[in-house]
Amino acid sequence: MKTSSFRFIIIFLLVPTLLSACSPSSSPSTQSIPSKEVQSSKKTIPSEQGQYLSMTYTEYVNGKNTDKGMIMRVMMYDLATKKVTKLADIPYTSQYPLSVISLRDHAIYYSADVDDKGDQLFSYNLNTKKSEQLSDHLFAINDIVPTTQQGPLILAAVNKGERALKTIFYNKSSHVMQYMHNENRDMNSWAIAYNQSKNTTYVARYSEKEMDNQRNFAAKKQSVMLPSDYTITEIDNSTKQERSIITLKNEEVSSMSSSNDQLLLVTARFINHGNLEYSLVDIATGKRTKLELPISSRSFIYMSPDGKGIYYLGSASQKNQEEGRGVYYYDFTSKIQTPIFIQEEGFINNFMLLNK
């Protein structure tokens, strides 16, 4: 039986979930934030303006009866109307439940197993209600990020027979996948963020060899494992030219998002130990500012379009990440945490803030 409680990690990897100290150039200052069939829902999609949250919610088909398996309920929260809409139910067959709604493409992109040989990229057309397999050579997919209607999908995925997560640009028209550094078997693309205003992609990468060395050292010393260094790189989506933004010394990037001129990071300093940290990074200069947030969230945090708050997946309690787990909005001025969607019978696996 599959479990939907954890993000898929390649079976060969020990998932880095926490990290260590920054190099001098990346040490943050501290600041408080300012005062196998798809079922379609009958509900209509809100008008295409503004922003929305795309949410993946896994649940047993028949209550808690595991005999009938699980499904991914693909949900949308409209920021303007503040309404949650279920767009489709997709059978959960992948190693990690992953879906994303693209209203611009009138589609849901998701991962699904094919013949028990690994997960492939699929699309579900919201107009025709039909699914289409888009890839045949992948093994696992950790991220699917839509860009523009004419632009590519950005994937963090593993090829069959390999270990490393690759950054992949999938052309929706030609169905061609363009790999970044495909020859490098040591580089892992752990977190991916898209910035529409700049038409750029941000990738947090680490060395597989370095992570193995840290794991072996911790096992030998019977100590808490430190992560390898993480480097955040900017990719120009048009030219595919790259530029290094910041390197974090022995510090893991658990999650990353981008808006306007900043990156919003969730990081940790040890593997499976210690507190999470939140910070903003200036894209132009690499200057990092630590944020003091009264939240508990390991991943999936996005700045609101107006910059007045954040949307995050986690808990209203800083002590217990599972207490009242759901998607929340935290207002910087009022310091109020407003629940948007709380998991009940199922499990919220991931969500993404997108433009219509």
Side-chain angles (χ1 to χ4, degrees):
M1 180 184 70
K2 295 182 175 66
T3 175
S4 60
S5 300
F6 300 98
R7 183 181 188 191
F8 162 76
I9 305 304
I10 314 167
I11 56 177
F12 312 100
L13 300 176
L14 171 65
V15 185
T17 44
L18 304 171
L19 36 164
S20 169
C22 306
S23 60
S25 62
S26 63
S27 297
S29 57
T30 302
Q31 166 184 306
S32 293
I33 298 244
S35 329
K36 278 179 165 180
E37 219 182 292
V38 177
Q39 301 173 13
S40 174
S41 169
K42 294 181 180 180
K43 295 182 180 179
T44 58
I45 302 172
S47 58
E48 296 192 15
Q49 56 183 358
Q51 292 79 29
Y52 64 99
L53 305 180
S54 173
M55 299 182 286
T56 305
Y57 184 67
T58 48
E59 190 174 356
Y60 288 113
V61 176
N62 185 21
K64 295 184 178 181
N65 184 348
T66 61
D67 294 338
K68 293 189 177 181
M70 299 181 74
I71 56 173
M72 295 190 294
R73 299 198 188 279
V74 186
M75 320 286 288
M76 185 183 76
Y77 173 78
D78 189 282
L79 270 62
T81 65
K82 302 187 185 307
K83 292 182 179 180
V84 175
T85 304
K86 186 187 78 171
L87 296 190
D89 284 343
I90 298 174
Y92 166 30
T93 63
S94 56
Q95 298 167 76
Y96 165 61
L98 180 61
S99 71
V100 62
I101 303 163
S102 174
L103 292 184
R104 291 174 171 176
D105 296 342
H106 303 286
I108 296 170
Y109 297 102
Y110 64 98
S111 60
D113 174 76
V114 177
D115 299 327
D116 292 323
K117 295 180 180 179
D119 301 338
Q120 302 302 330
L121 178 65
F122 283 77
S123 67
Y124 172 73
N125 190 302
L126 291 169
N127 294 327
T128 65
K129 317 302 181 191
K130 294 182 179 180
S131 290
E132 179 183 4
Q133 182 176 336
L134 303 179
S135 69
D136 59 11
H137 59 278
L138 301 178
F139 172 71
I141 306 173
N142 265 31
D143 291 288
I144 305 172
V145 183
T147 57
T148 63
Q149 189 169 11
Q150 290 75 33
L153 297 175
I154 309 167
L155 310 179
V158 185
N159 282 328
K160 290 180 180 178
E162 298 182 10
R163 296 180 61 182
L165 283 158
K166 299 294 185 183
T167 304
I168 305 171
F169 291 83
Y170 174 78
N171 188 305
K172 294 174 293 188
S173 299
S174 66
H175 305 291
V176 171
M177 289 191 174
Q178 181 179 1
Y179 288 76
M180 303 299 296
H181 306 287
N182 193 34
E183 73 290 346
N184 190 329
R185 298 294 188 263
D186 183 55
M187 181 187 295
N188 269 284
S189 299
W190 185 244
I192 289 180
Y194 172 65
N195 188 311
Q196 178 170 285
S197 63
K198 296 179 178 296
N199 192 30
T200 48
T201 298
Y202 298 90
V203 184
R205 295 167 171 156
Y206 69 88
S207 163
E208 176 68 23
K209 182 179 179 180
E210 185 181 348
M211 192 67 76
D212 285 341
N213 290 339
Q214 296 285 39
R215 185 181 302 113
N216 294 335
F217 180 83
K220 182 178 180 180
K221 296 294 184 179
Q222 291 295 295
S223 61
V224 176
M225 179 181 167
L226 303 181
S228 63
D229 297 349
Y230 275 66
T231 299
I232 299 177
T233 301
E234 177 185 78
I235 304 174
D236 185 300
N237 282 13
S238 299
T239 65
K240 300 302 184 292
Q241 290 185 332
E242 300 187 7
R243 179 176 71 92
S244 178
I245 302 296
I246 189 173
T247 296
L248 309 182
K249 180 69 174 177
N250 295 125
E251 189 173 2
E252 181 204 33
V253 178
S254 175
S255 181
M256 175 175 64
S257 61
S258 178
S259 61
N260 300 319
D261 298 320
Q262 295 179 317
L263 296 172
L264 178 58
L265 304 182
V266 184
T267 60
R269 297 178 179 274
F270 303 95
I271 297 295
N272 297 325
H273 289 80
N275 296 325
L276 296 167
E277 298 181 4
Y278 310 98
S279 59
L280 289 174
V281 174
D282 185 282
I283 290 174
T285 66
K287 181 180 178 181
R288 188 179 180 196
T289 303
K290 185 177 178 180
L291 304 178
E292 298 294 344
L293 299 175
I295 68 172
S296 178
S297 179
R298 181 169 299 279
S299 57
F300 307 109
I301 299 182
Y302 299 88
M303 190 76 72
S304 63
D306 58 12
K308 295 181 179 180
I310 56 171
Y311 295 92
Y312 73 94
L313 173 59
S315 170
S317 167
Q318 287 183 281
K319 296 181 179 179
N320 185 355
Q321 293 188 35
E322 298 305 315
E323 181 181 330
R325 187 177 187 275
V327 176
Y328 290 83
Y329 173 74
Y330 174 71
D331 185 273
F332 295 150
T333 302
S334 69
K335 304 187 185 306
I336 294 175
Q337 294 160 291
T338 303
I340 290 173
F341 185 79
I342 303 299
Q343 67 182 41
E344 294 177 354
E345 296 298 324
F347 190 87
I348 305 170
N349 301 94
N350 49 69
F351 85 98
M352 187 177 296
L353 175 63
L354 296 159
N355 291 301
K356 293 183 181 179

